[in-house]
Amino acid sequence: MTAPTEFDHGWAGSRRLLRLLRDLMKAGGSSQERLDRVVELIAQDMVAEVCSIYAMRGGEVLELFASMGLKASAVHKTRLQVNEGLVGLIAAQARPVALADAQSHPNFAYRPETGEEVYHSLMGVPIMRSGRVQGVLVVQNRTQRSYGEEEVEALETVAMVLAELFAGDRLLERADDSAGSDLMPARLSGIALNQGLAVGLAVPHERGIVITQVVGEDPEAERQRLDAALGEMRAALDAMLARQEVARAGEHREVLETYRMFADDRGWLTRMHDAVRGGLTAEASVQKVQNETRARMSAIKDPYLRARLADLDDLGNRLLHHLLGLEEKKREDLPENTVLIAHDLGPAELLDYDQTRLRAVVLEQGSPTSHVAIVARALQIPMIGRCEGITTQAGEGEDIIVDGETGQVLLRPSHSVRAGFEDSIAHKERQQAAYRADRELPAVTRDGAPITLMINAGLMIDLTHLDEAGAEGIGLYRTEVPFMIRDSFPGVETQADIYSRILDHAGEKPVAFRTLDVGGDKLLPYWRGGHEDNPAMGWRAIRIGLDRPALLRQQLRALLRAAAGRSLSVMFPMISDVAEFEAARALLQREIDRQQTLDQRPPAEIKVGTMLEVPALALQLPQLLPRCDFLSLGSNDLVQFLFAADRTNPRLARRYDSLAPAVLSLVRDIARHCDDHGVPLTVCGEMAGQPLEALALLGCGVRRLSMAPSFVGPVKTMVRSLELDALKDAINQLLTLPDHSIREKLRSYAVERTIAI
Ligand code: PEP
Ligand code: MG
C-alpha cells in the first residue's frame, strides 16, 4: 500500500480507504492486532501523526483502545469521562471537532501518559451505531493543521464503517465489560410528556437494524437501490396515512401530513446520494446522514427545527427498513411489555410499533409540543422526554420503570422497587375503573352543593377526554397550543376551522376560549419577540395582543366566525388592569360590528371574561366585575406573581406553597366579590386538579374548577366525600394562622373526616 502524497479525501480517496479497512477486518488476527492495524491505516491515509480509537465503557467512560502515535503504554490506561477533554466533548455532543490549535481549547485535558503535548492539531469524530456513541476516532498532527470540511466528512465516513465492522466482531468490548456500573440500578430524570406508569423491558428503537454491508462495490447500483427504497417508502407512508386510527382528524393528522412532505426534502436526498457516491452502500449512506442529523439535533434548541430534524431521522429509519426488508419482523418480536428507548422518534415511527405491546416511551429529546408527544397523547402511551443518558445507559432487555407522573425513569430496579411500582399500577387501574364507574354521577358534595368540574384543553386530542372524564365543559381552551405546533401563523380560515371543530366536538358543553397567550415560556417557533431578561413578566399574552391588534383581531374574527349560531365564550390572558380589559373588549366589539356589516351569521350569544393572573387586577374587582361576564383564576401565574417566585425555577419549587394563607385569603376575597356581583369564577391553574388544593379552593368559596382531564375523576371523588359547610368554617379558622402553609393541617382535617384526597 502506498500512502497518499497529498491530501486526497475526495470520493475516490475515501472509497479506497474503506476497501482497505474492510479487507483488513476480514484478514483475522487478535482484536488488538486488528485495531492497531486500523489506526495505522487511517493515520497513513489521513496524513496524520496520530490516530487513536477511544471506546465507550459503561456508558460514561472513554478508554483509549488503540493508538498509532500516542505512547503504547497509555492504551487501556488513559480514560476520560464523557464531556471531559476534547474526546469527552465529542462523545457528549456526538459531533465532530476539528481544531488547528487543540491545546488552547478550554476543554483540552492534558494526559501526560500519552505524550500528546507535541501534537497541536486535532480532529475527532464520534463512532456511532444505532444512535449511540460507541467511541471516538481521533487524528492529531504536530503542526497547527486546519482540517477542511471534506476531511471531517471523510473521517466521519470512516468512523461509520468502523462502527459496523467493530460491532460484528465486538472489537470495542472487553471481557470485563459486563461488570461494574453497567449493572447497578440507576435513576434518570426527564420531563413527563404524557402521564402514566409503566414497568417493562427496555427496547432500543433502532434494534434490529444491523448493517453488514457498508462499503458499496458499485455506486450506480447503490443509487438505484436507494431510489427504489425511497419509492417504496413513499407508497407505504401514503398507505399508513390512510389507516383507520390515523385517518381521523386532529393535530396528529396534520403533523403526519407535514412529515410525509419531508420524504421529498431535497437536501436530505442530496446528502444520501452524496454518501452513495462516496463509496457507501445505500443503507450505510442513510445511516450516515442519520448520524449527522442526530448530531445536529443535539445542538439545536429551536423547537421548530428540532421537530423537522426528528422527522428526517424518522424517515431515515423507515428507509432503512425498506432497504433491509425489515418491515414485517419488527412487530412480532417485541416483548409484551416494551418500553421503547430512543434519541427521538418521529410521529409516524411510533405508529409502527404494535400498540398492544408498547407500555411507554423514553426519549433523550422531545418536548411537550413535539410531534411524537402529540401522537403519544392521541394513543395514550406514557412518555418521558429530555431524559439525558437513557440511550447509553439502558441496555436492551433490561428492566425499566417509567413514571410519567414525575418524569423519572428507573433502570434495573431492585425486585422490591419493581414490585412496589407494579402494585401502584394495579392500584391506579382499580382507581381508574372506579372513576369511570362514577363518570355519570354528579359532582355534588355530601351536603348538596353542586360543583362544576371542567377540563383544560389545547389539542383536539384533549377533547376526546371531555366525555370520558365526565366533565361539564372546557373551562380553559389554550389557543396558543395549535399555534405552537404549526410552522407559521395560522390564518383566519385555519383558525376558524380549528375553533369550529372544537365547538362541534364539545356539542352542548361550554368552551371558554382564551386568546393567544404566547411569550414567557410559551414560544412560537416562527415568532421572534426578541430577547427579554424576564420573559414571564415581559411582553406576553394580551400585552402582545394590544400592541399588535391585527393579530388579536384576526383571532377574534375566527372565533366569531366559528361560533356562528352558537354560544361563544372568550377570555383574555394576563390582563393587569381594567383599562386593558376594556381595550381588549373594544377590539372584540370592532370585530362584532364588522361581522354585522358583512352580514355574516353572528354567535347566538357572546360572553366575555378575563383571566385573573396578575395580583393588580385582584385589587380592581369592584370596577372590573360589572364589566365582565366571567372570571377565570390562573393560579399558576397568580401564585408566581404573588410571591415574586418564577414558576419554572426548580430552586424555588418548594419555597412557597400554593396552600399558603396569603394565596387562599386572596382567593377567598376574589370569590366573595364574584358572588356579590353574580359573576361566575373558575379556577383553571394546576391547583384545581389536585384533590387537596381543590379542597382548599372549595373552602374559599370557589365552585368551578377546570383541570387536566385525568384529574377530574380524583377531584370528583373528593367532592362527593365532602361536607362543604363544615369545610368553610375550618378554612376560615386556618386562614387566621401565621403559618407558612396550611397543607398539613388541612390534610389532617381531610383524613379525620374521610375526605378522599
Ligand atoms: C395559569 O396561569 O394558571 C394558567 C392557567 O395559565 P397558563 O398555565 O397557561 O399560563
Ligand atoms: Mg397563565
Side-chain angles (χ1 to χ4, degrees):
M1 191 202 66
T2 50
T5 51
E6 56 187 25
F7 300 157
D8 172 18
H9 297 107
W11 303 129
S14 83
R15 271 209 292 276
R16 184 189 57 232
L17 176 61
L18 301 188
R19 287 216 189 88
L20 288 172
L21 285 171
R22 188 194 50 188
D23 293 347
L24 184 146
M25 296 309 283
K26 279 191 194 148
S30 76
S31 300
Q32 192 64 49
E33 281 163 5
R34 281 187 287 166
L35 283 174
D36 290 344
R37 272 298 286 144
V38 166
V39 287
E40 203 182 308
L41 204 57
I42 298 171
Q44 280 173 358
D45 190 79
M46 306 294 283
V47 199
E49 279 98 30
V50 176
C51 175
S52 312
I53 291 171
Y54 292 80
M56 179 77 91
R57 310 211 43 219
E60 50 205 38
V61 175
L62 290 148
E63 180 176 312
L64 182 62
F65 255 53
S67 181
M68 146 108 201
L70 296 186
K71 285 185 187 158
S73 55
V75 173
H76 295 302
K77 276 222 184 67
T78 294
R79 289 186 182 169
L80 293 149
Q81 296 289 322
V82 169
N83 226 346
E84 184 189 0
L86 291 166
V87 170
L89 182 72
I90 293 163
Q93 299 188 340
R95 303 185 65 178
V97 161
L99 299 165
D101 180 11
Q103 297 182 14
S104 66
H105 189 281
N107 249 66
F108 182 79
Y110 174 53
R111 288 304 166 89
E113 73 273 14
T114 61
E116 67 181 328
E117 60 276 17
V118 295
Y119 304 109
H120 288 97
S121 51
L122 177 148
M123 165 167 67
V125 296
I127 301 174
M128 295 188 52
R129 187 159 187 277
S130 300
R132 296 169 118 190
V133 176
Q134 309 274 316
V136 174
L137 172 65
V138 176
V139 293
Q140 289 171 275
N141 282 79
R142 246 175 233 281
T143 54
Q144 293 207 351
R145 171 173 164 188
S146 296
Y147 304 97
E149 233 172 77
E150 284 225 330
E151 288 172 300
V152 175
E153 277 259 322
L155 197 65
E156 277 185 307
T157 305
V158 170
M160 147 116 213
V161 174
L162 290 183
E164 299 305 328
L165 295 176
F166 290 170
D169 292 356
R170 311 184 86 107
L171 282 197
L172 293 191
E173 293 174 20
R174 282 173 43 166
D176 59 348
D177 246 6
S178 60
S181 64
D182 265 335
L183 293 180
M184 298 293 282
R187 178 189 290 267
L188 303 178
S189 296
I191 55 168
L193 301 184
N194 195 29
Q195 295 217 331
L197 293 178
V199 172
L201 299 177
V203 176
H205 169 54
E206 290 81 359
R207 183 190 62 102
I209 304 184
V210 176
I211 294 180
T212 45
Q213 280 285 20
V214 180
V215 183
E217 299 293 341
D218 174 0
E220 176 51 25
E222 293 302 324
R223 186 193 63 75
Q224 284 174 14
R225 282 185 66 224
L226 179 62
D227 288 343
L230 279 163
E232 274 177 34
M233 181 187 75
R234 291 187 186 113
L237 279 174
D238 291 337
M240 189 189 72
L241 277 165
R243 235 162 63 194
Q244 199 192 355
E245 77 268 25
V246 181
R248 67 199 164 97
E251 293 77 4
H252 66 290
R253 170 94 206 153
E254 281 177 44
V255 152
L256 290 167
E257 277 167 2
T258 317
Y259 164 86
R260 166 65 183 84
M261 277 165 36
F262 271 81
D264 300 319
D265 183 85
R266 292 274 293 277
W268 183 60
L269 297 174
T270 307
R271 290 208 304 283
M272 287 189 295
H273 281 117
D274 280 352
V276 164
R277 273 208 303 283
L280 296 180
T281 55
E283 54 269 35
S285 303
V286 176
Q287 209 169 56
K288 175 171 183 284
V289 172
Q290 226 178 353
N291 286 344
E292 290 162 7
T293 307
R294 286 177 188 149
R296 278 168 65 200
M297 236 162 20
S298 65
I300 285 177
K301 298 249 169 353
D302 184 303
Y304 168 69
L305 282 180
R306 284 184 78 98
R308 294 284 84 98
L309 289 175
D311 284 355
L312 285 181
D313 193 48
D314 187 346
L315 285 167
N317 278 339
R318 295 188 150 264
L319 199 48
L320 284 176
H321 277 83
H322 286 284
L323 276 165
L324 302 172
L326 296 172
E327 202 65 32
E328 294 309 315
K329 267 185 246 151
K330 195 169 175 181
R331 285 168 175 253
E332 288 157 20
D333 45 42
L334 278 182
E336 289 293 335
N337 49 356
T338 294
V339 173
L340 197 59
I341 308 293
H343 262 277
D344 207 349
L345 276 182
E349 220 156 8
L350 188 58
L351 291 169
D352 277 341
Y353 284 88
D354 182 349
Q355 308 300 308
T356 61
R357 292 169 189 236
L358 201 55
R359 294 286 169 272
V361 179
V362 186
L363 305 174
E364 294 252 356
Q365 317 271 336
S367 71
T369 52
S370 62
H371 297 164
V372 70
I374 290 165
V375 176
R377 289 175 71 182
L379 302 175
Q380 302 195 350
I381 300 167
M383 181 177 275
I384 289 184
R386 308 243 183 95
C387 188
E388 214 176 303
I390 190 69
T391 53
T392 45
Q393 295 195 40
E396 177 156 7
E398 284 182 344
D399 282 337
I400 179 167
I401 293 174
V402 174
D403 186 345
E405 327 279 301
T406 61
Q408 303 270 318
V409 178
L410 306 178
L411 287 176
R412 304 171 288 272
S414 67
H415 186 73
S416 58
V417 169
R418 192 192 149 102
F421 268 87
E422 278 166 347
D423 281 354
S424 306
I425 291 174
H427 176 68
K428 272 201 184 305
E429 277 167 5
R430 281 196 303 276
Q431 256 186 348
Q432 287 302 330
Y435 296 145
R436 272 196 298 277
D438 284 357
R439 193 170 55 191
E440 305 303 330
L441 298 177
V444 177
T445 63
R446 286 173 55 186
D447 47 351
I451 306 297
T452 305
L453 302 183
M454 292 174 291
I455 62 164
N456 296 345
L459 293 172
M460 285 296 291
I461 298 151
D462 299 330
L463 269 78
T464 55
H465 304 308
L466 183 58
D467 292 328
E468 221 169 80
E472 291 183 43
I474 299 175
L476 165 64
Y477 181 81
R478 293 178 160 110
T479 59
E480 60 273 12
V481 179
F483 280 70
M484 285 160 90
I485 62 160
R486 280 180 172 70
D487 307 346
S488 58
F489 267 114
V492 177
E493 283 290 315
T494 313
Q495 287 190 55
D497 183 51
I498 299 169
Y499 306 145
S500 159
R501 277 191 283 149
I502 287 157
L503 288 170
D504 291 346
H505 210 108
E508 292 299 300
K509 296 184 175 178
V511 182
F513 287 96
R514 179 174 77 182
T515 63
L516 204 55
D517 180 10
V518 291
D521 58 341
K522 297 171 195 160
L523 300 174
L524 299 181
Y526 42 84
W527 170 272
R528 300 271 177 268
H531 170 79
E532 291 188 274
D533 283 342
N534 214 334
M537 295 202 277
W539 196 51
R540 56 174 285 204
I542 198 64
R543 300 167 183 183
I544 297 180
L546 293 177
D547 290 352
R548 297 278 183 277
L551 203 71
L552 183 54
R553 283 184 61 183
Q554 279 190 7
Q555 186 174 34
L556 295 169
R557 195 174 306 164
L559 284 166
L560 288 167
R561 205 182 284 181
R566 307 190 260 197
S567 167
L568 174 66
S569 292
V570 190
M571 57 185 178
F572 303 109
M574 285 288 288
I575 293 281
S576 304
D577 66 16
V578 180
E580 268 181 358
F581 176 69
E582 292 283 70
R585 220 192 144 114
L587 290 178
L588 175 63
Q589 191 55 50
R590 285 177 67 176
E591 286 306 316
I592 295 172
D593 296 344
R594 182 178 183 275
Q595 197 178 41
Q596 232 165 21
T597 351
L598 293 176
D599 236 7
Q600 289 172 347
R601 190 173 177 211
E605 65 168 346
I606 302 175
K607 291 187 177 157
V608 190
T610 173
M611 294 285 290
L612 198 162
E613 298 166 285
V614 181
L617 191 64
L619 300 171
Q620 281 207 298
L621 292 178
Q623 295 77 28
L624 174 73
L625 291 174
R627 292 171 165 83
C628 76
D629 300 319
F630 64 96
L631 205 64
S632 193
L633 190 155
S635 56
N636 306 339
D637 275 314
L638 187 65
V639 171
Q640 86 163 338
F641 296 130
L642 205 55
F643 285 121
D646 181 351
R647 77 195 231 194
T648 62
N649 186 336
R651 284 186 172 169
L652 299 178
R654 282 187 187 75
R655 180 168 287 266
Y656 304 104
D657 193 358
S658 52
L659 294 187
V663 175
L664 297 176
S665 302
L666 180 62
V667 173
R668 187 180 55 182
D669 234 42
I670 296 167
R672 281 180 185 156
H673 274 99
C674 287
D675 267 355
D676 292 348
H677 286 83
V679 171
L681 166 72
T682 304
V683 174
C684 64
E686 300 306 314
M687 278 180 86
Q690 306 301 312
L692 187 66
E693 276 81 345
L695 178 73
L697 293 170
L698 297 179
C700 293
V702 175
R703 295 289 171 271
R704 299 163 61 85
L705 301 168
S706 190
M707 63 205 81
S710 57
F711 298 134
V712 174
V715 172
K716 190 191 276 187
T717 306
M718 181 277 287
V719 166
R720 292 179 55 82
S721 65
L722 161 73
E723 294 268 0
L724 189 60
D725 269 341
L727 172 71
K728 271 195 252 171
D729 294 341
I731 288 278
N732 285 339
Q733 285 242 307
L734 288 172
L735 293 190
T736 60
L737 299 174
D739 295 18
H740 171 71
S741 162
I742 64 161
R743 183 172 295 276
E744 289 318 314
K745 289 182 175 133
L746 187 62
R747 196 194 303 280
S748 308
Y749 173 89
V751 170
E752 278 163 24
R753 285 159 188 79
T754 59
I755 300 170
I757 46 163

